[in-house]
Amino acid sequence: MNEKFYSLKKEKQDTMINGAMEVFAKSGYRHASTDEMVRVCGVSKGLWFHYFENKAGLYSFVASYALKYAMLEFNMRTMKEGMDYFDVRYDMEVCKTIMMNKYPYLPLFLISIAKEDDEEVAEVLRDPLSRYKEDMSELMQSADYGKLLDHEDHVLLADMVDHTIDALMTEGYRTAVFPKERYLDSVRKHLRALKRLL
Amino acid sequence: MNEKFYSLKKEKQDTMINGAMEVFAKSGYRHASTDEMVRVCGVSKGLWFHYFENKAGLYSFVASYALKYAMLEFNMRTMKEGMDYFDVRYDMEVCKTIMMNKYPYLPLFLISIAKEDDEEVAEVLRDPLSRYKEDMSELMQSADYGKLLDHEDHVLLADMVDHTIDALMTEGYRTAVFPKERYLDSVRKHLRALKRLL
Amino acid sequence: MNEKFYSLKKEKQDTMINGAMEVFAKSGYRHASTDEMVRVCGVSKGLWFHYFENKAGLYSFVASYALKYAMLEFNMRTMKEGMDYFDVRYDMEVCKTIMMNKYPYLPLFLISIAKEDDEEVAEVLRDPLSRYKEDMSELMQSADYGKLLDHEDHVLLADMVDHTIDALMTEGYRTAVFPKERYLDSVRKHLRALKRLL
Amino acid sequence: MNEKFYSLKKEKQDTMINGAMEVFAKSGYRHASTDEMVRVCGVSKGLWFHYFENKAGLYSFVASYALKYAMLEFNMRTMKEGMDYFDVRYDMEVCKTIMMNKYPYLPLFLISIAKEDDEEVAEVLRDPLSRYKEDMSELMQSADYGKLLDHEDHVLLADMVDHTIDALMTEGYRTAVFPKERYLDSVRKHLRALKRLL
DNA sequence: AATGAATGAGCTTTCATTCAT
DNA sequence: GATGAATGAAAGCTCATTCAT
């Protein structure tokens, strides 16, 4: 099934991937409608089912694709071994804004994937999602956590940062055009504030 | 509209409120179905529309009710002026487990309200939700934040705590019966870990 | 599920049963469409699914109903113990033309049920259909088979009669209004011809 | 249209004919899907519509082809003038099992053609089907019907034999590989039983 | 007040058919 | 000649909402 899709022109692949990402990111799996995908990217109803067995298969494909693509970009563009944790975290967000050039809704979609709780896709999501989380924590572990030595605090603080950044990202998508500069400013400020505390 | 509903027997009011809360909390506004409300609390389909104009009206009512009720309980049961922030936060969670006796799904519903992003109810939710958030932050501000004097850090740390606690709560609802003791233990541990850091 | 349907006014029940019988009899399970049922009996799409879980459930119900109803009528209206086989067989066809007053497509539906080979309903049809066949052969066995003593020949001859009659019946439904008199004449002639042979 | 098809390599013609026969025989005209024809014989979707105007045109062609081919084979391989009716009938079934070597689903398709009642192809089927039936009855009429002189009885008996044999044939196709020997045995037994009666 | 029968728009999915390559 | 991407009408089914009782 995926082979068929991959043999399409790259441009059309991305049109469809972007259409699906946008609708899934905004509405979640269940409430996302094929009709809206038709509307946002002009690809006919029947074609979605020509390339993907059903809605769940489409979601599974696009979600895996998004997770893999994001991971690849993070690995390529962020980390130098032993870099300061807060700088790594900021670079990741810069990286996300760069991804938006190709896949405008990818960062929002990543957040919505993690929140997704529909039974029909929960199972199919488990493996790629846990792999992504593992890779991410591995990537983050080679950062320099400085004064954060105590284990439990480290985990909680990272969670805090993640949740805050997700919230800022979600907020950014509320406007008609995503305000990249404003978003990155805000992230920077929050990170600095936290760093000062330690 | 609301007058009609309030003239019902209190018992029946609560049956309906609980039915709506359960279904809305589990499925979100859009995916919640009237049929399931009929199933979970045995109140006939037509009656929901007798008391509430439509699904959005019902949601608006139950959400406002939940927010007001929770706020009232928090104000009554928690705070003594100048109490340590971490103790206040823990007492709030105790308070939530007490509310569960009357409205078993209220704490989960509160979380789902904050996440709700359906356009149809976004507007009607804005006012009661922001009032609730204001009241909450006001309530929290009379706590003793001790060494946390720097403004921005204070907000971020509170956010972290809130998100972590929300996640623990959501997890608790995954089991058949909500494990109150286990939940409160877990909250306590996380708060202590954070307190040690400062 | 069936209780709900049975609590409808008998008249409406029969409207729906007749609509379903007509469409199923003409098109078979798979090709039968809900839209056509809406057209032939004016009952809205949603209502079919209010009373029956799905198309297979509707088919299962209507088929069982038709088989039971027919069996009941055959038992009430035909047989006096020890009657000549050919007379019994003819009386059965008279009985079918009487059933048409209430359920115009019932006799054609009975034939189409026996031919039905769709996997989705094959299983659900097995029990009621074999019960019907058993009852029918039991009913026929109390007839006087006269000179037909040899076992194998008896079965084959009965089959021949059944297939011929089914063909005549199917032919009758090709005209706008079912020609009861012509049909019964034709059945009578064929039976007489066979009887003469023995 | 047909000329184009006939200018294909004979081998490919038969591949397509067999693919169409298999799917039409198993599913009937309406429920037969182009996708399944692609699956069973590997000929691309577009090509079917390159050679045949539409599904009905394809059905019409393959049905006519099957009827003509069968008639030809029956005429070539069965009858010697004045042969006993029951022997002729058996030889016909032997002949069918021989046809299966070239067109495995032809005998089942012949049966399904006779049952076909879809309005869209009914008309286009009428002529070739009635010609086939005429030819068949002509072929059968030169057999020796022995003691069966009375006209009407003769027709009815022949019908019985035909229906029984069709049922046995259909049953044979339910197994993964058509059991030729077992099928012919069974036909032989039934014919002998009937013969004994006279 | 209370019920649940009834509706129709909208959902996911299928499928014959067209058309650019 | 040959392919399969692309289409849209129609299928089975769901669901908020209305209304007669």
Side-chain angles (χ1 to χ4, degrees):
Chain A
M1 184 113 300
N2 290 14
E3 297 84 46
K4 253 206 264 179
F5 180 74
Y6 281 129
S7 70
L8 272 175
K9 254 186 291 181
K10 192 77 190 72
E11 201 183 290
K12 180 131 198 182
Q13 282 181 43
D14 283 343
T15 303
M16 292 182 75
I17 287 173
N18 272 324
M21 277 189 189
E22 178 171 348
V23 178
F24 280 135
K26 282 178 175 169
S27 312
Y29 171 70
R30 192 66 167 245
H31 181 213
S33 96
T34 349
D35 278 334
E36 206 185 339
M37 290 181 200
V38 172
R39 239 172 284 134
V40 302
C41 73
V43 168
S44 82
K45 224 179 212 191
L47 202 55
W48 295 97
F49 294 94
H50 182 66
Y51 289 114
F52 303 98
E53 205 176 353
N54 50 30
K55 199 179 161 184
L58 169 61
Y59 188 86
S60 161
F61 173 80
V62 185
S64 296
Y65 185 90
L67 293 169
K68 270 184 251 162
Y69 183 84
M71 201 57 235
L72 218 65
E73 293 286 311
F74 289 144
N75 276 318
M76 275 172 54
R77 286 182 205 273
T78 55
M79 259 323 214
K80 283 146 228 150
E81 185 74 27
M83 201 171 166
D84 178 79
Y85 166 77
F86 294 97
D87 294 339
V88 175
R89 205 61 193 74
Y90 179 70
D91 280 6
M92 275 187 57
E93 298 315 301
V94 173
C95 184
K96 284 183 191 166
T97 64
I98 293 170
M99 292 183 210
M100 285 185 199
N101 295 326
K102 202 168 178 189
Y103 299 116
Y105 282 88
L106 200 153
L108 188 63
F109 186 41
L110 290 177
I111 295 173
S112 95
I113 288 172
K115 284 184 194 167
E116 187 60 59
D117 64 347
D118 190 280
E119 288 180 20
E120 216 176 334
V121 290
E123 197 172 3
V124 90
L125 217 46
R126 200 169 301 137
D127 276 7
L129 189 53
S130 65
R131 213 172 309 131
Y132 174 77
K133 284 179 179 170
E134 269 173 49
D135 286 357
M136 287 295 280
S137 72
E138 203 177 315
L139 185 144
M140 293 308 294
Q141 254 147 28
S142 51
D144 174 17
Y145 281 80
K147 291 150 219 161
L148 291 171
L149 299 174
D150 183 358
H151 176 64
E152 240 174 331
D153 296 26
H154 152 264
V155 168
L156 284 176
L157 272 177
D159 267 15
M160 173 185 92
V161 168
D162 292 347
H163 287 307
T164 307
I165 285 178
D166 279 359
L168 295 173
M169 177 66 84
T170 304
E171 211 187 314
Y173 275 101
R174 291 226 174 89
T175 58
V177 179
F178 189 92
K180 293 187 189 177
E181 285 317 315
R182 178 134 58 91
Y183 170 68
L184 289 177
D185 265 8
S186 181
V187 170
R188 206 157 32 217
K189 267 186 233 157
H190 282 78
L191 287 173
R192 201 187 319 130
L194 187 59
K195 197 173 180 180
R196 266 195 306 233
L197 185 71
L198 299 169
Chain B
M1 185 111 301
N2 290 14
E3 298 80 47
K4 259 205 266 176
F5 180 74
Y6 282 128
S7 69
L8 271 175
K9 252 188 293 180
K10 191 77 190 76
E11 201 182 288
K12 181 137 196 182
Q13 281 180 41
D14 283 343
T15 304
M16 292 182 74
I17 287 173
N18 271 324
M21 277 190 190
E22 177 171 350
V23 177
F24 281 134
K26 282 177 175 168
S27 310
Y29 171 70
R30 192 65 167 242
H31 185 213
S33 93
T34 357
D35 277 331
E36 208 186 338
M37 289 180 200
V38 172
R39 231 175 290 130
V40 302
C41 72
V43 169
S44 82
K45 225 168 180 175
L47 207 53
W48 295 97
F49 292 92
H50 182 69
Y51 290 115
F52 304 99
E53 200 178 358
N54 51 26
K55 198 180 163 183
L58 169 61
Y59 188 87
S60 162
F61 173 80
V62 184
S64 296
Y65 184 89
L67 293 169
K68 270 182 253 162
Y69 183 83
M71 201 57 235
L72 218 64
E73 292 286 312
F74 289 144
N75 275 318
M76 278 172 53
R77 287 182 203 273
T78 54
M79 261 324 208
K80 284 146 229 151
E81 187 73 26
M83 201 172 166
D84 178 79
Y85 165 78
F86 293 98
D87 294 339
V88 176
R89 205 63 194 73
Y90 178 71
D91 281 5
M92 278 187 56
E93 298 316 301
V94 174
C95 184
K96 284 184 191 167
T97 64
I98 292 170
M99 293 183 212
M100 285 185 199
N101 294 326
K102 199 166 181 192
Y103 300 116
Y105 282 88
L106 201 153
L108 188 62
F109 185 43
L110 290 176
I111 294 174
S112 93
I113 288 172
K115 285 184 191 168
E116 187 59 59
D117 62 348
D118 191 280
E119 290 179 21
E120 218 175 332
V121 290
E123 197 172 2
V124 88
L125 218 46
R126 199 168 304 135
D127 277 6
L129 189 52
S130 64
R131 211 172 313 129
Y132 172 77
K133 283 180 180 169
E134 268 171 50
D135 285 358
M136 286 295 280
S137 73
E138 201 178 317
L139 183 145
M140 293 307 294
Q141 254 147 27
S142 52
D144 174 17
Y145 281 81
K147 292 149 220 163
L148 291 171
L149 301 174
D150 182 359
H151 176 64
E152 242 173 332
D153 297 27
H154 152 263
V155 168
L156 283 176
L157 271 177
D159 269 13
M160 174 185 93
V161 168
D162 291 349
H163 287 305
T164 307
I165 285 178
D166 280 359
L168 294 173
M169 177 65 85
T170 304
E171 211 187 313
Y173 275 101
R174 291 227 175 87
T175 58
V177 178
F178 190 91
K180 294 185 189 180
E181 286 316 316
R182 179 133 57 89
Y183 170 69
L184 290 176
D185 265 8
S186 183
V187 171
R188 208 158 30 216
K189 269 185 229 157
H190 283 77
L191 288 174
R192 201 190 313 135
L194 187 59
K195 197 173 181 180
R196 265 196 307 235
L197 186 71
L198 300 169
Chain C
M1 185 114 298
N2 290 14
E3 298 83 46
K4 255 207 264 179
F5 181 73
Y6 281 129
S7 70
L8 270 176
K9 253 187 290 182
K10 194 77 191 74
E11 201 181 287
K12 180 129 198 186
Q13 281 181 44
D14 283 342
T15 304
M16 292 183 74
I17 287 172
N18 272 324
M21 278 189 189
E22 177 171 349
V23 177
F24 280 135
K26 282 176 174 170
S27 310
Y29 171 71
R30 192 67 169 241
H31 181 211
S33 95
T34 349
D35 279 333
E36 206 184 339
M37 291 182 200
V38 172
R39 238 172 285 134
V40 303
C41 72
V43 168
S44 82
K45 221 182 213 188
L47 202 55
W48 296 98
F49 295 96
H50 182 67
Y51 289 114
F52 304 98
E53 203 176 355
N54 51 29
K55 198 178 161 185
L58 169 62
Y59 188 87
S60 161
F61 173 80
V62 185
S64 296
Y65 184 91
L67 293 169
K68 269 183 252 162
Y69 183 84
M71 201 57 234
L72 216 65
E73 292 287 310
F74 289 145
N75 275 318
M76 277 173 53
R77 288 182 203 273
T78 55
M79 259 327 212
K80 283 147 227 148
E81 185 73 26
M83 203 172 165
D84 179 78
Y85 165 78
F86 293 98
D87 295 338
V88 175
R89 205 61 193 73
Y90 178 70
D91 280 6
M92 277 186 55
E93 298 315 302
V94 174
C95 184
K96 284 182 191 167
T97 64
I98 292 170
M99 291 182 212
M100 285 183 200
N101 294 327
K102 201 167 178 190
Y103 300 116
Y105 282 87
L106 200 154
L108 187 63
F109 186 43
L110 291 176
I111 295 174
S112 95
I113 288 172
K115 284 182 191 167
E116 187 59 60
D117 63 348
D118 189 280
E119 288 180 19
E120 217 176 333
V121 289
E123 198 173 359
V124 89
L125 218 44
R126 200 170 300 136
D127 277 7
L129 189 53
S130 64
R131 213 172 310 131
Y132 173 77
K133 284 180 180 169
E134 267 171 49
D135 285 358
M136 286 296 280
S137 73
E138 203 178 314
L139 183 145
M140 294 307 295
Q141 252 146 29
S142 53
D144 175 16
Y145 281 81
K147 289 150 216 164
L148 290 173
L149 299 173
D150 183 359
H151 176 65
E152 239 175 332
D153 296 27
H154 152 262
V155 168
L156 283 175
L157 272 177
D159 268 15
M160 176 185 89
V161 169
D162 291 347
H163 286 306
T164 307
I165 285 177
D166 280 0
L168 295 172
M169 177 66 84
T170 304
E171 213 187 311
Y173 275 102
R174 291 227 174 86
T175 58
V177 179
F178 190 92
K180 294 186 188 176
E181 285 316 316
R182 179 135 57 89
Y183 170 69
L184 289 176
D185 266 9
S186 181
V187 170
R188 206 157 34 218
K189 268 187 230 154
H190 282 77
L191 287 172
R192 201 189 315 131
L194 187 60
K195 196 173 183 182
R196 266 195 308 236
L197 185 72
L198 299 168
Chain D
M1 184 111 305
N2 290 13
E3 298 81 43
K4 261 205 266 176
F5 180 74
Y6 282 128
S7 70
L8 271 175
K9 254 188 291 181
K10 192 76 188 76
E11 201 182 287
K12 181 137 196 182
Q13 281 180 43
D14 282 343
T15 303
M16 292 181 74
I17 288 172
N18 270 325
M21 278 189 189
E22 178 172 349
V23 178
F24 280 135
K26 282 176 175 170
S27 310
Y29 170 71
R30 192 64 169 240
H31 185 212
S33 93
T34 359
D35 277 332
E36 206 185 341
M37 290 182 200
V38 172
R39 232 174 289 132
V40 303
C41 73
V43 169
S44 82
K45 224 168 179 178
L47 208 53
W48 296 97
F49 292 92
H50 183 69
Y51 289 117
F52 304 98
E53 201 178 356
N54 50 28
K55 199 179 162 184
L58 169 61
Y59 188 86
S60 161
F61 173 80
V62 184
S64 297
Y65 184 91
L67 293 169
K68 271 183 251 160
Y69 182 84
M71 201 58 235
L72 217 66
E73 292 286 311
F74 289 144
N75 276 317
M76 277 171 54
R77 288 182 204 273
T78 54
M79 261 323 215
K80 282 146 229 149
E81 185 73 26
M83 201 173 166
D84 178 76
Y85 165 78
F86 293 98
D87 295 339
V88 175
R89 205 61 193 75
Y90 179 71
D91 280 5
M92 277 186 55
E93 298 315 301
V94 174
C95 185
K96 283 182 191 168
T97 64
I98 293 169
M99 292 182 211
M100 284 184 200
N101 295 327
K102 202 168 177 188
Y103 300 115
Y105 282 87
L106 200 152
L108 187 63
F109 185 43
L110 291 176
I111 294 173
S112 93
I113 288 172
K115 284 183 193 168
E116 187 59 58
D117 63 348
D118 190 279
E119 289 178 20
E120 216 176 333
V121 290
E123 197 171 3
V124 89
L125 218 46
R126 200 170 301 136
D127 278 6
L129 189 52
S130 65
R131 212 173 310 130
Y132 172 77
K133 283 180 180 169
E134 269 172 47
D135 286 357
M136 287 295 281
S137 73
E138 203 177 315
L139 184 146
M140 293 308 294
Q141 253 147 29
S142 51
D144 175 15
Y145 281 82
K147 290 149 217 162
L148 291 172
L149 300 174
D150 182 357
H151 175 65
E152 244 174 327
D153 296 26
H154 150 264
V155 167
L156 284 175
L157 272 177
D159 268 14
M160 173 185 92
V161 168
D162 292 348
H163 286 305
T164 307
I165 285 177
D166 280 0
L168 294 172
M169 177 66 84
T170 304
E171 212 187 313
Y173 275 100
R174 292 226 175 89
T175 58
V177 179
F178 190 92
K180 294 186 188 177
E181 286 316 316
R182 179 134 58 92
Y183 170 69
L184 290 175
D185 265 10
S186 181
V187 170
R188 207 155 35 215
K189 267 186 230 158
H190 282 78
L191 288 172
R192 202 189 314 133
L194 187 60
K195 196 172 182 181
R196 266 194 309 233
L197 184 73
L198 300 167

